[in-house]
Amino acid sequence: MNELLQIKNLHVVYQTDEETVYAVNGVDLNLSEGETLGLVGETGAGKTTLALSILNILPPKVGKITEGSILFEGEELVGANEKLIREIQGNKIAMIFQDPMTSLNPLLTIEDQIGEALLLHRKELSKDEISQRVEEMLKMVGIPPERKKEYPHQFSGGMKQRVVIAISLACEPKLLLADEPTTALDVTIQAQVLHMMNQLKKELKTAMILITHDLGVVAEICEKVGIMYAGEIIEVGSLEDIFKGKDHHPYTKGLFGSIPDLNSDVSRLSPIDGLMPDPSALPEGCKFHPRCPNCWEMCKTTVPEYVDLGNGHKIRCHLFGNQNGGGGI
């Protein structure tokens, strides 16, 4: 498969008069056409910031990329001119935001909101053709086309999420950034939306980065998994490597250890001790060392390199030695 997205040594900060928050710290990432990557980690790991950086919609004046490269279809997005960014946003790269309740404009009809991207990026389409395309998108996400004249308040949470997905897919993007797309939904609707996203991904051959806390969602929809902690991707591999492999980063083990096991009779869950570090004052060495049960002296002073365990499974941890370290994900 051809490389669609290549991120190299990406650093992102949020800078105010009071402090500098180091949100993304040296991320390397490759994504092929049609591939789905699940980004997993606690709140504050930098997952959403990474997605906002790709789409170039970091908060103005506060958020900035200080170092690194983002190549999309071979074109550099870091420092790109506004014309290129406008051409890509919502057209070649689209995003499903975390909360459908606040992602939709309450004053515009569903037709107007889905049609907006088509008006911007498909200027060759007539008004009737745009209206027809809106109806096709609504059918695709399981909403009756006759509801296109209705407003967001007339839809349930699950239906709003479907509308947001229809908006993001209207121009058939090559890359979809999905930020917690099922968090606000109940379990039944969540399963329906995931099934629908899987079907649409296959039909449109869209690559996707799925941001989530839910490893069950990752198992359902992703081929590749990246574990993110304190702005770094500390482990990456295929779905089989992460879910069935023997070797894992201690943080990855902690995430899986926190999941209830229906076959085990225990009185308490096993959470990861401690909290995510303050991103404005990150610890030296391995960022996870204050919480790591396997911490040793080297972890406190030296940043670990990636260790390649084969087939693209890489771990950033001193436990696996550093003789094979280096290189991107």
Side-chain angles (χ1 to χ4, degrees):
M1 289 189 289
N2 297 325
E3 293 290 352
L4 180 70
L5 179 72
Q6 294 175 290
I7 300 176
K8 296 178 182 177
N9 194 34
L10 187 68
H11 291 257
V12 182
V13 301
Y14 293 111
Q15 201 157 24
T16 67
D17 293 337
E18 297 178 357
E19 63 181 6
T20 299
V21 172
Y22 300 93
V24 174
N25 305 297
V27 163
D28 295 307
L29 193 63
N30 293 335
L31 190 68
S32 301
E33 292 180 358
E35 189 174 44
T36 299
L37 167 74
L39 267 187
V40 183
E42 294 169 274
T43 298
K47 305 183 298 297
T48 299
T49 296
L50 180 59
L52 296 179
S53 302
I54 295 169
L55 203 54
N56 200 19
I57 51 173
L58 288 167
K61 298 182 181 179
V62 177
K64 61 179 72 173
I65 296 172
T66 57
E67 189 179 343
S69 168
I70 302 174
L71 289 175
F72 178 74
E73 293 188 315
E75 291 192 273
E76 179 60 67
L77 300 187
V78 177
N81 61 58
E82 189 173 341
K83 182 181 178 182
L84 175 62
I85 296 300
R86 291 288 185 190
E87 183 185 324
I88 286 174
Q89 287 176 338
N91 183 23
K92 293 184 177 181
I93 304 177
M95 187 163 180
I96 301 173
F97 292 94
Q98 190 163 359
D99 186 0
M101 312 298 177
T102 57
S103 298
L104 297 172
N105 189 328
L107 302 179
L108 297 178
T109 65
I110 296 306
E111 180 178 28
D112 288 339
Q113 297 191 58
I114 297 175
E116 185 179 16
L118 295 168
L119 281 170
L120 287 170
H121 299 295
R122 299 290 186 270
K123 297 185 186 297
E124 72 278 6
L125 297 179
S126 67
K127 189 174 180 181
D128 288 341
E129 287 172 327
I130 288 176
S131 182
Q132 184 179 350
R133 176 65 177 160
V134 168
E135 290 184 7
E136 289 173 1
M137 293 309 302
L138 288 174
K139 283 181 185 176
M140 190 180 285
V141 298
I143 296 176
E146 56 269 21
R147 298 195 65 181
K148 68 181 182 180
K149 295 294 184 184
E150 296 181 11
Y151 291 84
H153 73 271
Q154 295 173 276
F155 289 77
S156 67
M159 295 290 266
K160 286 179 185 176
Q161 189 63 290
R162 289 169 183 261
V163 171
V164 171
I165 292 170
I167 292 171
S168 66
L169 293 173
C171 293
E172 299 188 5
K174 294 190 175 181
L175 174 62
L176 181 63
L177 308 172
D179 188 2
E180 299 279 4
T182 59
T183 296
L185 309 179
D186 62 59
V187 176
T188 306
I189 302 301
Q190 182 184 87
Q192 292 175 5
V193 169
L194 286 175
H195 177 72
M196 179 191 68
M197 289 176 69
N198 241 338
Q199 291 299 112
L200 295 176
K201 183 174 68 102
K202 291 174 184 175
E203 288 176 23
L204 303 177
K205 295 181 173 59
T206 300
M208 180 163 61
I209 295 178
L210 176 68
I211 296 169
T212 183
H213 296 98
D214 192 335
L215 286 163
V217 171
V218 171
E220 182 78 20
I221 205 170
C222 299
E223 295 103 31
K224 190 175 176 181
V225 185
I227 307 296
M228 199 161 183
Y229 185 83
E232 300 176 351
I233 293 182
I234 56 174
E235 182 171 0
V236 70
S238 66
L239 188 68
E240 188 173 354
D241 287 333
I242 302 300
F243 278 77
K244 296 182 179 179
K246 295 179 180 178
D247 296 319
H248 294 295
H249 192 284
Y251 180 64
T252 308
K253 290 181 180 178
L255 290 178
F256 278 98
S258 301
I259 300 173
D261 185 352
L262 296 177
N263 297 317
S264 302
D265 185 13
V266 293
S267 57
R268 293 178 65 88
L269 297 178
S270 301
I272 302 170
D273 291 335
L275 299 171
M276 183 78 69
D278 180 353
S280 64
L282 292 170
E284 292 184 20
C286 174
K287 307 294 187 294
F288 186 60
H289 87 255
R291 305 173 68 186
C292 183
N294 305 109
C295 175
W296 46 307
E297 284 305 313
M298 190 180 195
C299 303
K300 299 176 182 179
T301 57
T302 307
V303 177
E305 298 287 339
Y306 286 113
V307 178
D308 193 340
L309 302 180
N311 298 320
H313 185 196
K314 297 186 179 184
I315 300 177
R316 199 168 190 168
C317 180
H318 289 304
L319 288 175
F320 298 91
N322 57 12
Q323 66 274 14
N324 297 318
I329 294 172

